């Protein structure tokens, strides 16, 4: 089956210490920079979390700056 993508996206993998609001804080940094997040997949286990955050490819550099990369 063919898969059609409407536009390209970029994904960032973030990880860190699992605390209440940590992923929300990361997403807030992107929102404050005016970046729309198209998808988020996050998981936590014990004291650690990991998340994959997708943004429009045109916002890759802007998102990287907002995330401190």
């Amino acid at each position: 089956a063919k898969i059609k993508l409407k536009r390209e996206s970029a994904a960032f993998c973030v990880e860190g210490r699992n605390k209440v609001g940590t992923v929300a804080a990361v997403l807030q940094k992107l929102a404050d920079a005016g970046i729309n997040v198209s998808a988020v997949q996050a998981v936590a286990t014990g004291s650690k979390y990991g998340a994959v955050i997708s943004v429009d490819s045109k916002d890759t550099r802007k998102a990287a700056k907002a995330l401190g990369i």
Side-chain angles (χ1 to χ4, degrees):
K2 272 190 172 179
I3 297 175
K4 292 184 181 182
L5 300 176
K6 293 187 178 183
R7 61 180 172 212
E8 292 183 28
S9 63
F12 292 87
C13 179
V14 295
E15 57 186 30
R17 187 166 174 225
N18 184 22
K19 297 188 306 184
V20 173
T22 302
V23 175
V26 172
L27 295 174
Q28 188 63 55
K29 288 180 183 182
L30 295 171
D32 290 345
I35 298 164
N36 184 54
V37 172
S38 56
V40 177
Q41 188 70 33
V43 64
T45 179
S47 64
K48 298 195 179 224
Y49 83 92
V52 177
I53 302 169
S54 297
V55 300
D56 194 302
S57 62
K58 70 177 177 56
D59 291 328
T60 303
R61 289 178 196 249
K62 192 174 173 183
K65 184 177 179 183
L67 296 173
I69 299 172

